[in-house]
Amino acid sequence: EVGKWYRWRMVMSSMRESLSFLSQSGNCEFQLLAKDGIYLTDAPREVPAVILSPGNRADVAVKCREPGQEYMNATAINFKCEPNYGCFDPSVQPIDGPDMSDMDDVPKLVGTFANPKLQPTIMIIDVVSPSKANSRNLRKDHPQEAELEPFSTPTPCYLVDLRSVSDTEISSTFTNSYHCENPGTDNKWPNVATDQDICGVRGPYGVGGDSSFFTPWVNSSTYINDFATGGVQEITLQGIPFHPYHQHINPYQIQKFENFFDFSIDVDSYVTEPVRTWYQDGDWHDVLQFPASNGTREAFPTMFTQAIIRFQSDQFTGHMVQHCHLLFHEDQGMMAQYNVTGEEGGTWPGAREIDPTCIKPSGPKSKSGKSKSGKSMNSKSQKTSSTSDHDESFANIRFANIDSMSMSIGFLDYESMSVPIDDGPVFEGRQ
């Protein structure tokens, strides 16, 4: 409906394709509210495009100004991308997608990225004129051009801003760098992907980033690093133009982006405006891929972009999995785990110094169902830990004149679906 705000609650359920899409004519406006289940501190943030990697979630408020059909089209973020990386370019995608010729119920206007020339349209929005009653309400209570007002949300102590934490207060640092190899083949990665591919994390244990210590997944009792509860950890993520880094249990905050080939290069000088707007220092994620680009298809020097992230190793001891969210990379070994040690239920005391009003955990037994024994979490307890101690506070947040809808976006590998979810960011809190 013209002039009305809608909240789109999106999950990128693709196993290998990344996506950037925009309003083709510019008739519809995007305001970013939350990423990966955590509200922005500067919400709402106007963004020219929606950017999603496999596993990402986003809450975006959308308003269209004129009636008619509006096409939401995939758009390339220029980068020298190969088909076996996570590409944000609909012209560079795997060519072995499913045969959809016998699927008469699939609208012919919407193609797959296996053949992006057919139509790179993600969805078509039918923008209608408001009814007379709604039109009167819009004029009286919610003017058509009314802007969304800035808002703030209660902050749990594990999500306080860590950018002011001094280096001396950081418990440990680690460099995470992903890599794949084609041993025994003439055609090497990334141009050719085969069943022989081996992917993994560069070691060594506790340090990372050294290609001479290439470590594919070993077993459930081998760890790439140890963290103790009650501390602040810092990780340098390399390879993020290609690999979406996903971390379970503890979401992380972007501290800065930098170019490790030449630290004097300002990353903002070569990324496009949609990227610069979507990814900002201080944002929280649990999946991060950064489509660095200098506006051309040349990879140098943008391929050397890295992110510095920080997080609290908060409350939960046991296995803490990390992996590339291109799931075929994960299957080929690009997966590791951290060992979270220390006291079960331990929290970082500095959180209340940064924000005296932050919400502390309710007690020694978390809502994940874990006891104080410190035993490793199984998959069931990891799932239930998505209900965080501040859910009740978030449940009272509402947006006037906004209707919510949920969608799961998937290409080639996952079937798209629509899942009803109550108000609040998708997967609010812990995963």
Side-chain angles (χ1 to χ4, degrees):
E1 190 172 286
V2 167
K4 186 172 183 177
W5 287 104
Y6 293 86
R7 180 161 63 178
W8 292 1
R9 318 192 60 227
M10 292 169 279
V11 180
M12 186 62 178
S13 61
S14 172
M15 292 195 298
R16 65 188 298 164
E17 282 80 32
S18 301
L19 169 69
S20 173
F21 72 87
L22 46 70
S23 171
Q24 181 184 34
S25 71
N27 178 39
C28 299
E29 173 186 347
F30 297 147
Q31 293 282 348
L32 180 61
L33 307 176
K35 294 189 290 183
D36 290 352
I38 299 173
Y39 283 111
L40 305 181
T41 57
D42 63 343
R45 179 192 302 167
E46 185 172 2
V47 293
V50 173
I51 302 176
L52 299 168
S53 290
N56 274 142
R57 290 87 67 206
D59 289 47
V60 179
V62 182
K63 181 180 71 173
C64 301
R65 291 177 285 270
E66 300 293 337
Q69 286 191 334
E70 182 62 24
Y71 289 72
M72 298 294 159
N73 282 0
T75 178
I77 300 177
N78 290 328
F79 186 76
K80 184 177 175 59
C81 190
E82 306 293 349
N84 294 307
Y85 288 134
C87 296
F88 283 91
D89 186 345
S91 68
V92 185
Q93 295 293 343
I95 60 174
D96 55 350
D99 181 9
M100 301 180 68
S101 58
D102 60 345
M103 299 176 64
D104 294 333
D105 57 333
V106 177
K108 302 305 181 186
L109 284 173
V110 182
T112 72
F113 278 1
N115 183 8
K117 294 182 179 180
L118 176 63
Q119 177 56 263
T121 298
I122 305 306
M123 52 188 161
I124 302 173
I125 307 302
D126 190 12
V127 184
V128 299
S129 299
S131 64
K132 291 183 179 180
N134 286 344
S135 180
R136 287 194 297 270
N137 290 335
L138 280 172
R139 289 194 299 270
K140 181 179 179 181
D141 301 320
H142 304 286
Q144 182 170 336
E145 297 302 321
E147 301 297 331
L148 290 181
E149 295 184 2
F151 63 90
S152 60
T153 60
T155 302
C157 288
Y158 70 86
L159 292 180
V160 298
D161 190 346
L162 302 176
R163 287 176 291 174
S164 63
V165 178
S166 66
D167 291 344
T168 59
E169 296 178 86
I170 301 299
S171 301
S172 68
T173 59
F174 178 74
T175 298
N176 191 87
S177 180
Y178 288 143
H179 180 63
C180 288
E181 294 181 350
N182 280 129
T185 62
D186 294 329
N187 293 313
K188 301 297 184 181
W189 183 272
N191 297 313
V192 175
T194 73
D195 293 337
Q196 301 177 53
D197 292 345
I198 299 175
C199 300
V201 183
R202 287 170 168 157
Y205 178 95
V207 180
D210 188 338
S211 59
S212 64
F213 291 86
F214 179 54
T215 308
W217 171 260
V218 182
N219 54 49
S220 61
S221 59
T222 300
Y223 303 93
I224 198 72
N225 206 356
D226 289 350
F227 304 129
T229 57
V232 176
Q233 319 302 332
E234 181 176 287
I235 298 179
T236 299
L237 298 180
Q238 296 180 345
I240 53 171
F242 310 106
H243 303 285
Y245 171 84
H246 177 47
Q247 177 174 297
H248 290 204
I249 310 302
N250 293 298
Y252 49 84
Q253 185 187 40
I254 297 170
Q255 303 299 298
K256 62 180 177 180
F257 295 102
E258 56 190 17
N259 189 292
F260 64 93
F261 176 81
D262 183 348
F263 288 98
S264 68
I265 298 175
D266 182 5
V267 173
D268 277 349
S269 69
Y270 60 73
V271 298
T272 58
E273 182 60 26
V275 173
R276 189 181 302 114
T277 307
W278 189 268
Y279 303 93
Q280 294 192 8
D281 295 354
D283 289 355
W284 290 86
H285 284 251
D286 64 32
V287 178
L288 178 61
Q289 181 183 6
F290 185 72
S293 170
N294 59 4
T296 71
R297 294 186 62 80
E298 295 300 319
F300 183 83
T302 61
M303 64 183 294
F304 296 102
T305 305
Q306 66 182 18
I308 310 299
I309 64 171
R310 289 178 176 177
F311 63 93
Q312 295 180 50
S313 45
D314 182 74
Q315 298 190 65
F316 306 124
T317 59
H319 304 271
M320 178 176 143
V321 176
Q322 58 109 317
H323 61 89
C324 176
H325 224 294
L326 303 178
L327 297 188
F328 70 109
H329 282 181
E330 177 193 39
D331 291 345
Q332 292 169 330
M334 196 173 286
M335 179 178 182
Q337 59 182 345
Y338 306 112
N339 186 27
V340 184
T341 62
E343 180 183 356
E344 177 71 11
T347 59
W348 181 52
R352 276 288 175 91
E353 296 178 10
I354 294 176
D355 182 358
T357 66
C358 71
I359 302 171
K360 297 182 69 174
S362 58
K365 184 173 182 180
S366 72
K367 290 188 179 180
S368 68
K370 286 187 58 181
S371 69
K372 294 181 286 185
S373 64
K375 293 183 178 180
S376 300
M377 286 182 292
N378 57 31
S379 59
K380 181 178 180 181
S381 64
Q382 290 188 41
K383 296 287 186 182
T384 57
S385 66
S386 63
T387 302
S388 61
D389 294 298
H390 63 295
D391 279 349
E392 185 173 350
S393 299
F394 274 104
N396 296 321
I397 296 173
R398 296 291 184 270
F399 300 93
N401 201 36
I402 294 186
D403 285 349
S404 291
M405 62 175 291
S406 304
M407 65 185 79
S408 175
I409 304 172
F411 305 106
L412 305 181
D413 35 48
Y414 277 15
E415 181 181 355
S416 295
M417 68 183 99
S418 183
V419 181
I421 304 176
D422 294 334
D423 283 352
V426 177
F427 303 150
E428 175 57 51
R430 307 297 179 89
Q431 181 180 20

